[in-house]
Amino acid sequence: MTTTLSVRDLAVTYDNGPPAVSGYSVDLMAGTLTVILGRNGAGKTSTLRGITGFLAHESGSVRGTIALDGVVVRRPNPLRLSRLGVGLVAERDKVFANMSVYDQMRLVMSARQDMDEIFGFFPRLRERRDVRAGLLSGGERQMLATALVLLRHPRVLLVDELSLGLAPGMVRELMGYLRRLADERGLTILAADQAVHASLRVADCVQIMDSGSLVASGPLDTLDIDAVLDAYLGRA
Amino acid sequence: MSAVAQAVEGSIVTGSIYGLVGAGFALLFRAAKVLSFAQGGFMLLGAFIFYSLEEHNGQPFLLAVLITMTVVAAFSGLVYLVVFARVAAREAFATSVATIGLAGVLQAVVSIKYGTAPLTLSGVVSPHAYRFLSAVVPTADIVAVGIAALVAGALFVVLRYTPLGLRMTAVADNASLSVHLGVSAARVAALAWALAGGAAALAGIAFSLRSAVDPVGVADVGLLAFPAIILGGLDSVGGAFVGGILLAGVQNAVQVSIGTGWLDLVSFALMLAFLYFRPTGLFGKAEAVRL
């Protein structure tokens, strides 16, 4: 198995404050699904945003090395990472609220059959194709956000809080989609989430973050996951 | 009957010029959520560049129009990239305020170079007037409406049928997400600025052909395009033209019935009424929000 995305010593700070993330490293193998678990404020979102880089007007600054297929990405920023095949499904503002499902898929797709394939993957989006995204349900928005990134044919998919505000059944369904994306499309996925059980059900590898640092990381079957979760997520 | 026909003719022509300026407003609002107060400035710049090409260099009419439009469009796009891109990245509101400064600079530059007195374009279009449904229609009016119709058609096609139109809508909706999905928001916004600048330059030419190259008159039209776009809908390019013609119609009615002194009062009162009762205008879209 080859490493698709490699991150070394990632550090993220905001407005010269204390580091939100420090010393984060990971090697993501092709076609695997890695989940980052942690409490609120553990640094999960900052880690994903640190990998994509920040926009000029955003107050985050990043240090560390990002490499794709062994090639170091110079001066990473969201546009460059997106064009290199790293897609981010963000936690907030992840769809174009005032555009129809169809129009925003048209914006990013390169071929008509891609859209048909996505509709095959997320049939509910086909039913809602003429609805403006701001009027979709939370789960439908997550599907659309994922679909928009997938239409760009990413090699690496970063997913932030897929479960946010969704019912457990919907979370399981969406996590199942992520598993299928890794298995059927060979996508390399790094997903940050708080839905521990749903995430562990589909993950190959797990990372636990606490106070901006990794406290455990590795393939699911090599970790004493119960002990780690008890220690850092306060699971009884 | 002829007075009514003449009023309708005047409304269509003046409204077309409002529409040309307003289309630029709507484009910038669609692509960057910016309300640009610099459209009047670009209109003025266009009018004077055109005057210079015609009166000092004797360029053929069509060539002078194309050069003026291209120069002002390129300048407008460049101003965005050099000055406004960083401001716009932070806050659309800050950009809107900054455009007031840009309008001031453009007006000052033009008055230093050309003075503030109105200048006459001599013999650029034929002085011949046609008679249509008992209205007298000068050639300059036909040219003005023709320019507006061409721009309206071109913008309709660009916005509705091209990838650029889709990108503009996306960037206006959510610029950060656009970038994360591989769309260069800065490039899209620069193109919107260029198109808006080009439309304003054409409005400046159309206005000057009808009356004179008049800094005060041009600036007034730039300001009166605001009520027009509020009527039509801030984000609707087609609405800018419809709003422009409606506004010009109301202004004509006011002028005939109660006098010229009431023009601005009624125009801006109409704008405030729309903002209160129908803030999306006739063709604008409300935000799609589901809690």
Side-chain angles (χ1 to χ4, degrees), chain B residues 129-286:
Chain B
Y130 300 86
R131 191 161 274 282
F132 183 72
L133 295 176
S134 74
V136 177
V137 186
T139 308
D141 286 4
I142 296 171
V143 172
V145 174
I147 288 174
L150 277 175
V151 170
L155 289 179
F156 176 79
V157 171
V158 167
L159 291 174
R160 181 66 69 92
Y161 297 109
T162 69
L164 175 61
L166 204 55
R167 287 189 198 122
M168 281 184 178
T169 309
V171 170
D173 194 315
N174 189 334
S176 297
L177 176 61
S178 303
V179 174
H180 279 285
L181 290 172
V183 175
S184 171
R187 188 180 299 171
V188 170
L191 283 169
W193 272 73
L195 288 173
L202 292 175
I205 294 171
F207 177 85
S208 304
L209 288 176
R210 293 191 75 217
S211 48
V213 187
D214 173 12
V216 177
V218 169
D220 282 352
V221 172
L223 200 60
L224 278 168
F226 270 104
I229 52 165
I230 298 295
L231 258 67
L234 256 182
D235 59 350
S236 169
V237 172
F241 287 95
V242 176
I245 290 170
L246 276 178
L247 177 70
V250 170
Q251 286 177 333
N252 261 323
V254 168
Q255 202 163 356
V256 171
S257 56
I258 46 179
T260 310
W262 289 79
L263 272 185
D264 286 354
L265 176 68
V266 172
S267 302
F268 287 102
L270 190 63
M271 178 180 91
L272 292 173
F274 260 79
L275 283 173
Y276 187 82
F277 292 108
R278 194 181 166 90
T280 56
L282 294 172
F283 300 99
K285 275 186 186 164

Side-chain angles (χ1 to χ4, degrees), chain A residues 16-217:
Chain A
N16 301 319
V21 176
S22 60
Y24 175 88
S25 297
V26 73
D27 286 312
L28 299 178
M29 302 298 167
T32 60
L33 199 171
T34 302
V35 293
I36 307 175
L37 300 174
R39 294 188 177 105
N40 282 337
K44 304 185 298 295
T45 295
S46 295
T47 299
L48 297 186
R49 288 304 318 275
I51 292 171
T52 65
F54 288 90
L55 297 166
H57 67 281
E58 292 176 322
S59 50
S61 64
V62 182
R63 280 185 293 112
T65 308
I66 312 291
L68 272 168
D69 297 328
V71 179
V72 172
V73 180
R74 307 229 169 264
R75 292 196 301 277
N77 63 60
L79 188 60
R80 185 165 297 156
L81 265 290
S82 170
R83 289 179 173 177
L84 286 171
V86 179
L88 171 70
V89 180
E91 181 184 353
R92 288 184 292 265
D93 292 336
K94 61 191 97 182
V95 294
F96 298 100
N98 292 299
M99 293 173 75
S100 71
V101 168
Y102 177 72
D103 272 351
Q104 49 199 295
M105 289 174 75
R106 210 157 54 87
L107 173 79
V108 289
M109 75 174 184
S110 49
R112 172 72 220 187
Q113 62 262 34
D114 290 346
M115 192 183 284
D116 293 336
E117 196 183 341
I118 287 292
F119 281 146
F121 218 84
F122 299 115
R124 213 169 315 171
L125 292 182
R126 190 196 298 275
E127 296 160 20
R128 309 282 277 160
R129 57 174 270 166
D130 295 321
V131 176
R132 287 195 286 168
L135 304 175
L136 297 175
S137 71
E140 289 165 344
R141 277 182 231 188
Q142 291 287 25
M143 289 177 194
L144 176 58
T146 310
L148 291 178
V149 176
L150 291 179
L151 281 165
R152 288 191 50 77
H153 298 286
R155 287 180 289 163
V156 179
L157 184 63
L158 309 176
V159 188
D160 195 7
E161 299 289 1
L162 194 67
S163 66
L164 195 72
L166 300 179
M170 176 58 73
V171 174
R172 277 196 299 276
E173 187 183 344
L174 289 172
M175 288 293 178
Y177 282 131
L178 290 189
R179 184 68 260 169
R180 279 179 58 199
L181 287 169
D183 293 341
E184 296 172 17
R185 290 179 164 226
L187 223 66
T188 306
I189 302 174
L190 180 61
D193 218 294
Q194 293 194 63
V196 175
H197 297 292
S199 300
L200 292 178
R201 195 170 289 129
V202 296
D204 297 304
C205 299
V206 178
Q207 297 191 304
I208 312 286
M209 288 192 82
D210 191 46
S211 304
S213 300
L214 279 177
V215 291
S217 179

